[in-house]
């Protein structure tokens, strides 16, 4: 399993069926991303592995900022 500390800042996160995919456990989070969504330093929580991360979202593309 990947650890959030080893994921590079600015790395692209996967989006599956509109949900952000957790980089640790590879499960979908509850956060839904639409194509026009924009956010800066959004805190996302994965209910499966209990990890938290800050992400930036610009025009539907999600990038990793840092672990919380």
């Amino acid at each position: 399993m990947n650890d959030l500390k080893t994921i590079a800042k600015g790395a692209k996160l996967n989006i599956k069926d509109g949900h952000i995919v957790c980089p640790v456990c590879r499960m979908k989070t509850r956060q839904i991303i639409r194509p026009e969504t924009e956010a800066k330093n959004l805190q996302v929580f994965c209910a499966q592995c209990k990890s938290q991360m800050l992400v930036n979202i610009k025009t539907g593309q999600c990038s990793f900022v840092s672990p919380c």
Side-chain angles (χ1 to χ4, degrees), residues 17-35:
D17 299 328
H19 295 268
I20 298 173
V21 176
C22 176
V24 177
C25 67
R26 303 289 183 209
M27 298 296 287
K28 292 190 291 185
T29 62
R30 293 181 181 157
Q31 186 69 43
I32 297 174
I33 303 300
R34 297 182 57 167

Side-chain angles (χ1 to χ4, degrees), residues 5-61:
K5 292 180 181 178
T6 62
I7 299 171
K9 183 177 180 181
K12 299 290 183 194
L13 297 178
N14 293 330
I15 298 175
K16 183 177 181 181
D17 299 328
H19 295 268
I20 298 173
V21 176
C22 176
V24 177
C25 67
R26 303 289 183 209
M27 298 296 287
K28 292 190 291 185
T29 62
R30 293 181 181 157
Q31 186 69 43
I32 297 174
I33 303 300
R34 297 182 57 167
E36 64 274 3
T37 300
E38 291 191 14
K40 186 173 181 179
N41 294 328
L42 176 68
Q43 185 175 357
V44 178
F45 175 74
C46 178
Q48 298 292 325
C49 67
K50 310 292 190 247
S51 62
Q52 296 181 23
M53 63 199 107
L54 290 176
V55 297
N56 288 335
I57 303 168
K58 187 167 184 176
T59 61
Q61 296 295 317

